Amino acid sequence: MSERQLAEVFVELADTLVDDFDLIDFLHRLTVRCVDLLGVSAAGLLLTDQRGALQVVAASTEQTRLLELLQLQTDEGPCPECFHTGRPVTVTDLTGSTVRWPRFVAAASQIGFASVHALPMRLRSEIIGALNLFDTRPGALSPDTVRLGQALADVATIGLLQARAISHRETLAEQLQIALNSRVIIEQAKGVIAERRRLDMDQSFMLLRTAARNTNRRLSDLSRAVVDGSETL
Amino acid sequence: MSGDRQVRIWAQVARQSLGEPVSVAHVCAAAVAGVGVDGAGVTMMAGPTVRETVTATDPVATGLEELQLTLGQGPCVDTFAEGGPVLAGDLRSPGYLARWPMFTPAALDLGAGAVFALPLQIGAIQLGVLDLYRVRSGGLSPPELADALSFADTVSMLLLAAAAGTRPDTAKPAWQRDDQSSHDAVVHQATGMILVQLGCAADAAFARLRAYAFADDRRLSDVARDVVERRLRFDPEPSGLSLDEGERA
C-alpha cells in the first residue's frame, strides 16, 4: 500500500462532484484500488436489487469466473450474510466453510481463493450492498487493513449517493435500480464487442472503458449505443 | 427476485388468472392487491418511438397512461430516459410541479396522489413501463417496493414471451419458466453475442435465448455460458432463423 495510491483515491472521490460523473466506471476503479491498497487478489461490489437478492455491480477484473463467483452470492456466501447482519464477515480459511456455503466454496476454491472478506456498504441504518475481497492466501486482514477496506466500501456508497444528488433523483431506491440496470447494459455491450471483435469479456470491457474515456461518455451511455446499434466499436 | 418472493408473486397472479392463460391485465390486478395501490397500467414500446397502452385497471389508471402519452411528460416518460424507476410519492410536493408542469396538476385532478413508474427493462432492452398509482400520497415501503419491482419483472417476462410469439401459459407453467438465473452476467453477455450473430435487436436475441433454453429444458445461465464460451452459436439460415450447435470456424 502506498500513500500515493491512497491519495489517488481521494482525487478520484472528487471526480464524483462533476456533472458527467460515471458511476459504474468509478465503482470499477474503486475495486481495482481495493486490490492495490489492501493487498488482496480480487475485489467485487454487490448491491441489493431491493427484491431480496444481491447483484454484481463492479469487479476488479471482468474475468467471467470472478463475476460468476460474485453472482453466486445472490443468496449464499459471505456477502448475503454480511448484507443481512450488517456486519463484516471474515473467513480466513475457506476449506472450513464447505458445509456453510457449499457452492460458493467450491467455486472460490476452483479459482484458487483461500480466504474471503465481506464488508457492508452502509447508509445510516440501511445496508445497501457489500464489498467482497478475495485472497489466494489464507489468513485474516490486519485491523488497519479492515478499517481501510471499510472506508473504501463507504467511498462506494458515497459515489452512489453522488450519482443520485447529481441527477436529482428522489430516492436512493431509484439510483440503486439505475446502477444495476446500467451494469446489465454494459454486460450486453461486452457481448456485442466480444462477438464482433472475437475478444474475451475482460478485453471487451477494457475496450469499452477506453472508448468511453476517449469520447468523454459514460460507460453505460456508450454501452447502450453499442447494444442499440447506433455505435459500432 | 428471491425464491420466496417469487412463489408469493406467482400465487397472487394465479389468484387473478384462475386457470386462464396469464395476461398483463392479471399481473396488474395482482400488483394492485399485492402492493396495496389503487390502480395500475402498462404501456409498452410498440416500436423505437411508438408507445401504446396495453392495459389499465380502472379509469384513473387509463387517464394517467393517456396523459403521459399525449403530454409527453410524467414519471412514465422519465423512466425511459433515466433507465430506472421514478417514485413520485407525493405529487403535491413542489418539485413535481416544476418537473412535470402539465402532468402533475392533471394527475392530481384525476385523483392520483402518488405515482410509481417502474421501467420494464433488461439493460438496453426497453419493453415498456408499469405505472402504479395511489389516491393517498406516501412512498412505497421497502417490502412494497420489492413486490412492485417483482411484479414489473413478471410483466417484462410476459411481454418478452408475447414478442417471441410464445403461446401464453397458465400460471403454473409460466412460473416454472421464470428462470432466476436470468440475472447472471453471462445471460446478458450471451444476448449481446446473439444479437450480432443473428443481426437482430437485443430483445429478439434475448427472446431466442430464452426459447432455446426452454426447449432444451436447461437453465438460462447454462445455455448462456455455452454461447459465451463459444460452444453454441445462433446463426440465421438463408430460409429463415435457426440455430446450429458445435464449433464454427
Side-chain angles (χ1 to χ4, degrees):
Chain A
M1 177 190 339
S2 76
E3 273 184 15
R4 214 203 63 185
Q5 285 172 333
L6 194 50
E8 272 164 26
V9 174
F10 283 101
V11 171
E12 279 164 3
L13 189 51
D15 272 352
T16 70
L17 298 171
V18 300
D19 265 340
D20 55 355
F21 169 52
D22 186 338
L23 177 65
I24 302 291
D25 191 60
F26 174 78
L27 294 177
H28 169 75
R29 279 184 289 131
L30 191 67
T31 55
V32 174
R33 288 279 172 224
C34 285
V35 169
D36 295 338
L37 289 170
L38 306 173
V40 296
S41 312
L45 265 172
L46 291 99
L47 291 179
T48 172
D49 71 349
Q50 304 180 105
R51 4 168 165 18
L54 291 173
Q55 304 290 348
V56 183
V57 74
S60 52
T61 105
E62 298 281 313
Q63 292 295 337
T64 304
R65 310 181 307 168
L66 178 62
L67 292 184
E68 295 197 325
L69 177 64
L70 290 168
Q71 192 53 65
L72 257 184
Q73 298 187 72
T74 291
D75 51 17
E76 175 194 312
C79 282
E81 205 172 293
C82 170
F83 175 71
H84 288 117
T85 61
R87 285 195 292 275
V89 173
T90 296
V91 181
T92 54
D93 186 344
L94 275 174
T95 58
S97 297
T98 46
V99 172
R100 199 175 173 192
W101 307 315
R103 291 188 322 157
F104 173 76
V105 171
S109 309
Q110 211 173 31
I111 300 181
F113 294 138
S115 62
V116 65
H117 305 79
L119 297 168
M121 285 176 69
R122 310 162 301 195
L123 176 62
R124 291 181 267 280
S125 55
E126 239 186 295
I127 311 290
I128 61 171
L131 171 65
N132 208 185
L133 306 169
F134 298 93
D135 212 323
T136 51
R137 303 158 303 179
L141 299 173
S142 73
D144 276 350
T145 304
V146 171
R147 227 185 339 261
L148 180 55
Q150 185 59 64
L152 290 167
D154 293 342
V155 166
T157 303
I158 291 171
L160 193 68
L161 291 176
Q162 279 296 78
R164 176 182 68 136
I166 286 161
S167 54
H168 308 291
R169 294 198 180 96
E170 288 302 310
T171 65
L172 179 62
E174 295 171 342
Q175 188 55 54
L176 281 167
Q177 293 303 314
I178 290 168
L180 291 173
N181 195 60
S182 293
R183 183 72 211 185
V184 174
I185 302 175
I186 290 165
E187 295 297 344
Q188 292 167 338
K190 280 160 65 178
V192 170
I193 292 168
E195 174 64 16
R196 196 168 279 140
R197 304 277 219 117
R198 308 299 291 180
L199 299 173
D200 70 29
M201 294 303 163
D202 199 16
Q203 294 167 322
S204 300
F205 182 68
M206 290 194 285
L207 200 155
L208 263 173
R209 284 194 71 218
T210 305
R213 235 194 339 263
N214 292 345
T215 58
N216 213 21
R217 272 194 286 185
R218 283 196 189 92
L219 253 180
S220 53
D221 292 337
L222 176 62
S223 295
R224 191 186 282 278
V226 167
V227 178
D228 282 346
S230 55
E231 181 81 44
T232 307
L233 286 186
Chain B
M1 49 176 139
S2 78
D4 288 346
R5 188 177 309 279
Q6 187 191 8
V7 169
R8 216 165 26 77
I9 296 295
W10 277 107
Q12 289 173 31
V13 170
R15 245 175 269 142
Q16 298 294 332
S17 60
L18 297 171
E20 294 297 304
V22 177
S23 69
V24 175
H26 293 137
V27 181
C28 281
V32 168
V35 177
V37 292
D38 295 307
V42 169
T43 292
M44 63 176 263
M45 308 287 278
T49 50
V50 181
R51 292 166 201 168
E52 108 196 352
T53 300
V54 167
T55 188
T57 53
D58 60 274
V60 176
T62 305
L64 288 171
E65 296 304 304
E66 271 171 13
L67 268 184
Q68 303 194 72
L69 289 174
T70 51
L71 295 177
Q73 67 177 231
C76 158
V77 176
D78 284 5
T79 62
F80 291 119
E82 298 189 357
V86 177
L87 308 169
D90 185 0
L91 283 176
R92 284 182 190 83
S93 79
Y96 292 122
L97 184 60
R99 192 168 166 184
W100 310 307
M102 296 186 293
F103 171 83
T104 305
L108 287 166
D109 274 348
L110 278 175
V115 177
F116 311 107
L118 306 160
L120 305 170
Q121 64 183 1
I122 299 148
I125 299 171
Q126 292 184 313
L127 302 163
V129 64
L130 167 66
D131 289 315
L132 307 174
Y133 83 88
R134 262 190 189 139
V135 170
R136 65 170 170 86
S137 61
L140 294 173
S141 67
E144 288 171 345
L145 175 64
D147 279 358
L149 290 168
S150 303
F151 280 113
D153 287 346
T154 307
V155 175
S156 291
M157 233 195 85
L158 289 178
L159 290 180
L160 272 171
T166 316
R167 254 187 46 218
D169 279 323
T170 55
K172 188 148 183 254
W175 164 19
Q176 283 160 352
R177 288 176 74 158
D178 195 358
D179 186 341
Q180 290 312 297
S181 74
S182 62
H183 298 291
D184 288 5
V186 273
V187 171
H188 309 306
Q189 292 163 7
T191 301
M193 292 177 71
I194 292 167
L195 79 83
V196 175
Q197 289 168 8
L198 289 178
C200 65
D203 56 349
F206 186 52
R208 286 297 306 276
L209 177 64
R210 286 183 68 236
Y212 183 85
F214 180 69
D216 234 35
D217 197 21
R218 290 168 67 200
R219 294 197 80 193
L220 206 49
S221 54
D222 291 337
V223 176
R225 198 168 298 110
D226 282 350
V227 174
V228 169
E229 290 174 6
R230 304 184 193 277
R231 286 187 293 274
L232 173 63
R233 284 188 66 83
F234 286 69
D235 281 323
E237 256 189 4
S239 57
L241 296 182
S242 83
L243 61 90
D244 298 290
E245 284 192 59
E247 301 252 332
R248 277 273 177 268

